Each structure stands twice: as C-alpha cells, then as structure tokens.
C-alpha cells in the first residue's frame, strides 16, 4: 500500500491524479456501491471498474483490500486500486498488487489502500461519497478473473488526537518451542477460507507453490510471532486485517509482525501498512516450487495487551475484528539454561474481549484534550 495522505505525499497524490484522468471512467449511476465486508468482483477485462463508497460519519477512514488468485506467469505490478473524491481522482489513496515470483501455479495476490489523512478537514475524510477504481490488470491472463474486495469503515477519533497516541516499542523476536502434541489444522488457501485459530501450535500440510493460510486475532498494542518447524524450506508472511503486509522481522521459517498501532498509518515503511488496524491477521506459510510436500508445525504467539495505544473512537463505523473468539491456548517459550521462560506469555484470553475493547469508546481515559 502506498502511504496515506501525510504532509509529504500530497504532491505525489496530485501527480497520480493527473496521470489517471485519461484512464479512469466517469461516474455512472449504475456504478455499484460497496458496503463493509467482503464482496466478490470480476477483475476488469477492458477498462477500469468503478465502485462507490458511502460515508456514514464525517472523519471516518475507509480501508479497502483486494485479493485474487492470479495466473502466475508474470512479475511486477499486477492491479492498482485507487480511491478518490471522483472516479478520475486517485488522491485519497493508492495501492498495487506486486508479483515477486515468476511461475507459481496459483499465487495469492493482495493489495490494500486507505483514505486516512492527517488533515481533519481534508475532502478525503469529509466527502459523503468516494470512488474506488480497480485498474486493468497488467497481465492479460488475470483480466476477467474472480477477485474479492474487502471494505471497512473505521470510525473517526473522538477528537483529533493522533499525536497523543503512544508510539509502540519495536517487537523483539523470541524463539518458540513447538508442541509435539499439536492438533492438525485444515489451513485455507485464501483469506476467505482461512480458519481463525488460537495461539499455540498447529499441524499444517504444505504443498509447493500454494500458500497455507491461517487467521489469528491481533489487537491494538499486540504483535504476532510465527515459527514453522518441520521444513527448512518453509517461508512465512503476515498480512494485516485488510491485507497489507505486516512483517517487522523475518528469517528462515519465521516472521514477526509489528506492534499494532494507529500511528503506523503515517509511516513510509510499507511493511507497517498491515499493522495500523486491529483485527484478524493472516499467516501465509509456503514452500518454494519444486520442494517436497511436508507436514509442519506452525506455532503462533500473540504478545501484549490493549492499553494506551487503543484509539478513542467517537463515531459510528465498523472495524474488522474477526467473527470468532479464539479459544485459549498457550505456546511454550524456549527456555534459558536455568529452565525459566525467556519471556512471559500473555494469554489469549484478552483476545476474546478484543472486539468489545476496540468498538467501545474509551471515554474514561483523559488524554489532555
């Protein structure tokens, strides 16, 4: 995802808008309106497709994710998604699918875009209607393919207190010990069929070139650690609730997310894009082409509890928080020479109340407003 509308990106937004004037279609009465949730679409075959967004609260932020299973025979930019105050405008946000690997049989391709702006009176935050444009896929083999748009409208802050939110500390990787009695998990292949699992160890079957996808709830002020045991070739990637990449660090068979923070939406680091909204995170575990199928153990740990970094929402809207409360499960930390845990595990019980915490206005907290 390209960075939202911070102070240093307005010139880029103007240039993108100018370049899109000839490519984007004019608004039409029949352009469909997107509502919060997942909606199937067909990727454009001959011209960009336009959709409408109807704002329910002044100052709210729209987050739009796109995913599809691609043809697998091209690299580079695949599909660009933009948001503007008119169909020809791209100034409210822009994101593009990036295809890094050639030859995958069925790559899961994603991108995300947000209308967040650091200017409370910006048209992208006040316009009653916005327009989402899905561009023409660069690979002809992807044109006309089935895809899914994921839409969320995040409520505005109760007062514009962005600068008062706490900056999270950088997460620290700590190895995890796989549970030898882990139960099998039927992993999905896309965000649509990914099971929501608890922290702990899960057995997963892998096939080369096809991702195994699990979902796990991660709240404000929390981060996710993922470790894969059983294959030296396995790679791990973490996506946020609206499909933005969320990887603070990674290595062979492991990955760690950033601490989920509202402040990440003002970052130039694209790997923080998925860490600016609480909700279900998606863990993608893959084997490279030509690798032998394997049964691996995927161990998940969610660290931290919601605290001072929880935004104080002051209006209506819907935030992606998942639909199933995870059951309590505690992974085993690697231990030091004296047998004590390297770090204490914060139980997953806090996640069960995450949806209530995120959607409840924290009026009792005084932030000097």
């Amino acid at each position: 995802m390209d960075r939202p509308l911070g102070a240093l990106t307005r010139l880029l937004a103007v240039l993108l808008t100018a370049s899109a004037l000839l490519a984007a279609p004019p608004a039409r009465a029949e352009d469909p309106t997107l509502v919060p949730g997942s909606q199937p679409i067909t990727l454009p075959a001959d011209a960009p497709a336009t959709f409408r967004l109807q704002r329910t609260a002044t100052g709210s932020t729209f987050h739009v994710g796109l995913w599809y299973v691609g043809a697998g025979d091209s690299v580079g930019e695949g599909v660009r998604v933009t948001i503007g105050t008119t169909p020809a405008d791209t100034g409210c946000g822009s994101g593009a699918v990036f295809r890094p690997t050639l030859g995958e049989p069925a790559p899961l391709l994603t991108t995300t875009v947000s209308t967040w702006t650091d200017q409370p009176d910006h048209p992208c935050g006040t316009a009653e209607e916005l327009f989402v444009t899905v561009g023409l896929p660069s690979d002809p083999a992807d044109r006309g393919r089935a895809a899914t748009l994921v839409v969320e409208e995040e409520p505005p802050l109760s007062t514009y207190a962005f600068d008062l939110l706490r900056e999270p500390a950088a997460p620290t990787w700590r190895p995890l010990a796989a549970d030898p009695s882990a139960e099998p998990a039927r992993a999905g292949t896309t965000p649509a069929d990914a099971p929501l699992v608890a922290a702990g160890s899960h057995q997963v079957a892998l096939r080369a070139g096809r991702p195994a996808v699990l979902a796990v709830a991660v709240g404000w002020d929390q981060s996710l650690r993922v470790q894969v045991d059983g294959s030296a070739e396995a790679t791990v990637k973490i996506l946020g609730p609206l499909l933005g990449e969320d990887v603070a660090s990674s290595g062979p068979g492991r990955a760690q997310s950033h601490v989920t923070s509202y402040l990440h939406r003002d970052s130039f680091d694209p790997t923080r894009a998925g860490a600016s909204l609480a909700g279900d995170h998606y863990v993608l575990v893959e084997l490279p082409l030509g690798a032998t199928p394997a049964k691996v153990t995927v161990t998940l740990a969610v660290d931290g509890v919601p605290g001072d970094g929880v935004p104080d929402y002051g209006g209506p809207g819907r935030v992606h928080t998942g639909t199933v409360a995870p059951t309590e499960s505690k992974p085993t930390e690697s231990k030091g020479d004296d047998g004590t845990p390297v770090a204490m595990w914060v139980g997953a019980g806090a996640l069960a109340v995450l949806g209530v915490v995120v959607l409840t206005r924290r009026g009792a907290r005084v932030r000097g407003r």
Side-chain angles (χ1 to χ4, degrees):
M1 182 189 75
D2 298 338
R3 184 178 181 272
L5 293 176
L8 298 180
T9 57
R10 293 171 196 129
L11 177 59
L12 176 59
V14 171
L15 294 175
L16 286 171
T17 300
S19 65
L21 287 175
L22 296 178
R28 301 173 301 173
E30 63 269 27
D31 289 337
T33 297
L34 299 173
V35 297
S38 296
Q39 289 140 92
I41 66 166
T42 299
L43 292 178
D46 50 19
T50 301
F51 305 86
R52 298 173 185 266
L53 292 171
Q54 299 292 335
R55 176 171 269 120
T56 64
T58 300
S60 68
T61 297
F62 281 105
H63 303 272
V64 179
L66 171 75
W67 70 265
Y68 63 99
V69 177
D73 52 4
S74 65
V75 294
E77 182 174 311
V79 176
R80 179 164 287 273
V81 180
T82 61
I83 305 178
T85 55
T86 68
D89 176 27
T90 64
C92 295
S94 178
V97 169
F98 180 70
R99 311 176 63 127
T101 304
L102 184 67
E104 290 183 271
L108 176 60
L109 304 175
T110 69
T111 189
T112 184
V113 59
S114 169
T115 65
W116 182 81
T117 170
D118 58 2
Q119 303 173 64
D121 58 350
H122 196 285
C124 295
T126 60
E128 293 184 0
E129 184 175 63
L130 295 174
F131 295 87
V132 176
T133 299
V134 178
L136 190 66
S138 59
D139 185 344
D142 284 339
R143 297 174 188 177
R145 281 181 174 263
T148 300
L149 286 173
V150 184
V151 179
E152 301 294 348
E153 183 180 8
E154 184 183 22
L157 298 182
S158 58
T159 59
Y160 204 78
F162 174 74
D163 293 332
L164 299 181
L165 290 169
R166 179 173 61 86
E167 184 72 35
T172 301
W173 172 257
R174 300 187 302 279
L176 296 164
D179 183 352
S181 61
E183 294 293 326
R186 187 179 293 276
T189 58
T190 71
D193 60 6
L196 183 64
V197 300
S201 293
H202 307 272
Q203 288 185 7
V204 174
L206 298 180
R207 285 194 301 160
R210 295 183 182 274
V213 187
L214 301 173
V216 59
V218 180
W220 299 111
D221 297 328
Q222 295 182 323
S223 62
L224 173 64
R225 283 178 290 151
V226 184
Q227 181 173 301
V228 178
D229 294 284
S231 173
E233 297 180 282
T235 61
V236 183
K237 183 164 64 174
I238 301 172
L239 302 178
L242 271 296
L243 310 179
E245 186 174 355
D246 180 6
V247 180
S249 65
S250 63
R254 70 169 182 87
Q256 181 167 27
S257 75
H258 292 277
V259 176
T260 302
S261 171
Y262 194 98
L263 300 180
H264 288 324
R265 60 197 68 198
D266 197 34
S267 173
F268 282 99
D269 182 355
T271 68
R272 296 177 185 264
S276 63
L277 190 65
D280 297 346
H281 280 50
Y282 299 98
V283 176
L284 281 62
V285 183
E286 299 180 85
L287 290 176
L289 291 174
T292 302
K295 288 186 177 181
V296 300
T297 301
V298 179
T299 304
L300 310 169
V302 179
D303 302 307
V305 294
D308 291 341
V310 177
D312 185 0
Y313 291 125
R318 177 170 178 260
V319 179
H320 186 91
T321 57
T323 56
V324 180
T327 56
E328 184 173 354
S329 178
K330 296 182 180 180
T332 303
E333 298 281 3
S334 295
K335 297 184 177 182
D337 294 336
D338 61 354
T340 58
V342 174
M344 293 185 64
W345 160 253
V346 178
L351 295 178
V353 297
L354 173 60
V356 176
V357 173
V358 171
L359 292 176
T360 300
R361 179 176 177 177
R362 301 171 63 89
R365 179 182 295 131
V366 178
R367 291 178 174 165
R369 292 194 277 255

